[in-house]
Amino acid sequence: MGPAELFVFEGHHHSIFGLIASRGLIAPAALQATFDEHVATGRSFATLLLDGGLIDQPTLLRAIAEHFGYDYADKMPEGLPAEILCLVESCIARSYGIVPVALDEFALTLLVADPFNPHLVGDLTFALGREIRMAVADPERVRGLIQKYYGEQKVLSKEEPVSSPEKAGDSIDAAELSEADIEKLAGQTPIIRLVNLVLAQAIREQASDIHFEPFAREFKIRYRIDGALCEMTPPSRALALPIISRLKVLANLNIAERRLPQDGRIKLKLEGRAVDLRVSTLPTQFGESVVLRVLDQSAGQLALDQIGLPPAIRTGVEEIIRRPNGIF
């Protein structure tokens, strides 16, 4: 498979057209003809440009980098040191398509697979807690580095695949099921294992929230870690009702009520740690969505002298705490 077949910026065809046209990198007639072919065939606009020999990959990548004010990385690193890799969590690297390659006194340099993400710099500056410098590189080679150093996207289960009660892609019509039927679905052993695995993995990775969201053709499970949503490999859409019903059973909610929001709580222990999960359900067009707020009772409990306050500030804080009233 050649580079032209791998190089695909899906969903950004108009942006690529505009930046190439503004720089005069391709004759207007040829550029428009290629875009018309993209519209007619549905093939990637960038791929058509490269396959047609109208522009080479380095020129296109450099133009994209200049458009966003990013650096252009023409050479990929042969190896990355652990002290650089550990600055970015694997979840964030996979979610945003980035790889850290260098750190200096000013910023952390990141290779990015999709520079067209408008929230990239803001989200990563916040999530990583430092200034960042973006560099555009061959997307497929960036993804290769992500796979090499951060692994594949997480899979939901390491045990046998969860059996689906319907054909793949179909969903269960809750209106046709009785409360006993739904409870039976939620009590299936594969469903119990799946839910337990999702909750355990989220807690181990110190997620603050877990989102279970049904859509028209898919069912997404996402964690929020350090402010970034990390998506797991989605289970079958047909498992949405059993999984959400299992969560409602654990939270002592009414599994037959699907038209009104509900709130509940799940208490569990993982590896000796007590964890509270605040559960909120919300009816949507495609079924109920559920959000779990993770409250790990053993995480983040630091004494005042352990959080690194300068002596003068700590003294002031202690004086405020001792006051009988007021707001701190």
Side-chain angles (χ1 to χ4, degrees):
M1 185 177 293
E5 294 177 73
L6 294 172
F7 188 92
V8 181
F9 282 126
E10 288 296 344
H12 305 299
H13 312 294
H14 287 88
S15 298
I16 294 174
F17 180 94
L19 68 89
I20 290 177
S22 65
R23 286 167 171 74
L25 299 175
I26 298 175
L31 183 64
Q32 185 61 55
T34 305
F35 192 82
D36 292 342
E37 182 181 353
H38 149 68
V39 174
T41 64
R43 291 188 64 195
S44 164
F45 180 51
T47 300
L48 289 171
L49 292 173
L50 294 168
D51 284 350
L54 297 175
I55 194 171
D56 59 64
Q57 190 183 75
T59 301
L60 180 54
L61 288 173
R62 187 175 283 106
I64 293 172
E66 292 174 355
H67 175 75
F68 290 103
Y70 296 163
D71 295 338
Y72 168 60
D74 56 345
K75 294 182 179 179
M76 303 295 286
E78 295 183 1
L80 297 174
E83 58 268 24
I84 295 294
L85 292 169
C86 71
L87 297 176
V88 178
E89 295 282 347
S90 60
C91 167
I92 294 177
R94 289 192 299 265
S95 177
Y96 287 94
I98 58 167
V99 177
V101 292
L103 176 67
D104 57 31
E105 58 183 318
F106 301 108
L108 174 66
T109 299
L110 304 171
L111 296 183
V112 57
D114 181 12
F116 291 90
N117 182 347
H119 307 293
L120 199 61
V121 174
D123 286 359
L124 291 173
T125 300
F126 175 79
L128 301 178
R130 64 177 73 241
E131 292 297 317
I132 60 173
R133 182 184 298 117
M134 307 302 299
V136 176
D138 181 343
E140 290 303 321
R141 298 183 71 182
V142 174
R143 295 187 187 103
L145 288 176
I146 295 172
Q147 181 176 342
K148 177 180 178 181
Y149 290 105
Y150 291 105
E152 297 281 358
Q153 186 179 20
K154 294 183 178 84
V155 294
L156 279 174
S157 177
K158 295 179 181 178
E159 303 185 39
E160 74 267 12
V162 179
S163 58
S164 172
E166 296 289 334
K167 293 183 295 183
D170 293 343
S171 60
I172 301 172
D173 188 356
E176 298 179 356
L177 300 177
S178 66
E179 182 175 345
D181 292 333
I182 296 174
E183 191 168 356
K184 184 177 179 181
L185 283 175
Q188 292 177 349
T189 300
I191 298 297
I192 294 174
R193 288 180 179 175
L194 177 57
V195 170
N196 290 347
L197 180 70
V198 171
L199 299 183
Q201 185 169 306
I203 293 167
R204 288 193 187 99
E205 299 206 7
Q206 299 184 344
S208 60
D209 304 272
I210 314 172
H211 297 253
F212 297 83
E213 302 168 303
F215 293 89
R217 297 184 179 276
E218 57 185 343
F219 178 51
K220 293 186 177 182
I221 300 177
R222 299 189 284 181
Y223 298 155
R224 187 177 299 278
I225 302 175
D226 294 330
L229 277 177
C230 306
E231 186 173 339
M232 299 182 71
T233 303
S236 166
R237 177 66 178 82
L239 297 177
L241 179 61
I243 290 174
I244 289 175
S245 298
R246 174 62 184 169
L247 294 169
K248 293 171 72 174
V249 168
L250 291 174
N252 293 317
L253 300 179
N254 183 358
I255 61 174
E257 178 57 75
R258 294 180 295 275
R259 296 172 297 175
L260 297 175
Q262 297 186 66
D263 293 295
R265 178 182 180 184
I266 300 173
K267 297 186 70 174
L268 53 86
K269 277 195 174 184
L270 177 68
E271 299 174 352
R273 293 185 299 165
V275 180
D276 279 349
L277 302 172
R278 303 297 170 86
V279 183
S280 297
T281 71
L282 184 69
T284 72
Q285 179 182 358
F286 304 111
E288 284 182 293
S289 68
V290 177
V291 177
L292 278 61
R293 176 74 174 174
V294 182
L295 303 173
D296 189 345
Q297 298 175 10
S298 64
Q301 296 181 355
L302 299 175
L304 191 59
D305 59 355
Q306 294 178 305
I307 60 177
L309 292 177
I313 295 178
R314 179 182 166 186
T315 300
V317 170
E318 290 174 339
E319 290 177 355
I320 293 173
I321 292 173
R322 285 192 291 268
R323 293 177 184 177
N325 51 52
I327 298 176
F328 174 38

